[in-house]
Amino acid sequence: MGFFFICLSAAAQDQGEENLILYASTLKKGLYKSFREFQFNSPSEEGDLVIKSRSTAAQIYLLASRNELVMRDRAGQEHKIKSYWGFCDGQHVYIKDNGLNEIHQAGYYCIYEIHGVQPSRSIYNQADMTVSTLNTPIHLKKVINIITGEILELSLYNLRKYILPQDPELLEEFSTDKDKKDKLEYYIFRFNQRNKPSLSSPQSGK
């Protein structure tokens, strides 16, 4: 499914409305060097960009992220890209945060999930007297504010403290919901439905 935003703001008129990713029917492929480039659907660098996955062993023993972005030159040589905000392949948007992670949710707050592995404990096999490591998958969901670029872990605390206070009625519903710990994404979805981002904020586009 294509990546686009359904929450629009009239304040975008003064910011180059036709270029905002909020309004984009198509995504421009390339490298975002800053949040602002992502916000305005305006990658500053193109080329043969490829996401390459790393093995589980590399993630554990080299303390590396699960993937990396490389650029291939005309000779087919691959060059690592280190300093950038994110990447678009023309269909999906990825943010750089412990590797590249696809942004899924559309609206005021967008959701992405960090994936990784880490060794948690060693297991001794008495049959052959060997020790093996039990690897534990890591999954951490975060949200990014499409106006300010602020990134928060998706948690009960951050919903209660920073996000939902902008919508007192929804905050009240959240506060009385006994099952809220299992409905974090649901409340992001509800917030996005009920609230339209305003680009008139002095903190926008940082």
Side-chain angles (χ1 to χ4, degrees):
M1 181 172 63
F3 181 95
F4 63 95
F5 293 99
I6 58 175
C7 294
L8 310 180
S9 171
Q13 298 287 343
D14 297 331
Q15 301 288 335
E17 176 181 325
E18 70 279 2
N19 296 321
L20 285 172
I21 201 167
L22 295 168
Y23 297 84
S25 57
T26 59
L27 292 168
K28 296 180 181 179
K29 181 179 179 179
L31 191 73
Y32 305 121
K33 292 186 177 179
S34 67
F35 166 74
R36 189 173 180 84
E37 290 185 5
F38 155 71
Q39 185 185 41
F40 284 85
N41 191 31
S42 183
S44 61
E45 188 171 343
E46 298 182 11
D48 188 6
L49 296 160
V50 181
I51 299 176
K52 299 197 69 176
S53 299
R54 289 192 174 102
S55 67
T56 298
Q59 293 179 58
I60 294 174
Y61 299 112
L62 300 180
L63 300 178
S65 58
R66 68 185 180 116
N67 56 33
E68 63 178 341
L69 188 66
V70 300
M71 179 177 288
R72 292 174 180 158
D73 60 26
R74 293 182 179 180
Q77 295 295 316
E78 296 181 348
H79 305 275
K80 295 181 181 179
I81 301 175
K82 296 182 179 180
S83 180
Y84 63 98
W85 187 92
F87 164 67
C88 176
D89 63 8
Q91 294 184 321
H92 307 283
V93 172
Y94 302 86
I95 182 174
K96 181 187 178 186
D97 186 350
N98 191 35
L100 283 155
N101 306 282
E102 185 179 350
I103 296 175
H104 292 287
Q105 181 64 272
Y108 205 129
Y109 284 91
C110 306
I111 297 176
Y112 67 94
E113 185 173 3
I114 294 176
H115 300 264
V117 292
Q118 67 177 11
S120 58
R121 60 190 179 91
S122 297
I123 300 175
Y124 177 69
N125 188 333
Q126 294 182 340
D128 56 10
M129 294 183 293
T130 59
V131 177
S132 59
T133 301
L134 179 64
N135 301 323
T136 303
I138 301 171
H139 301 285
L140 178 63
K141 291 184 179 179
K142 294 186 176 183
V143 293
I144 177 170
N145 184 311
I146 192 61
I147 299 303
T148 66
E150 180 183 33
I151 295 173
L152 298 169
E153 181 182 340
L154 181 55
S155 66
L156 287 170
Y157 177 81
N158 287 333
L159 275 166
R160 183 185 299 112
K161 180 73 174 180
Y162 300 110
I163 299 174
L164 297 184
Q166 301 170 83
D167 187 333
E169 185 178 327
L170 189 59
L171 176 60
E172 178 63 24
E173 178 184 332
F174 176 82
S175 299
T176 58
D177 188 345
K178 296 180 180 180
D179 300 318
K180 56 181 172 285
K181 67 178 181 180
D182 300 317
K183 298 165 62 177
L184 304 184
E185 287 191 53
Y186 164 80
Y187 278 100
I188 291 295
F189 175 75
R190 286 287 309 282
F191 184 90
N192 288 344
Q193 278 189 319
R194 292 165 54 90
N195 298 275
K196 295 182 179 181
S198 172
L199 292 174
S200 61
S201 168
Q203 294 182 333
S204 67
K206 64 183 179 180

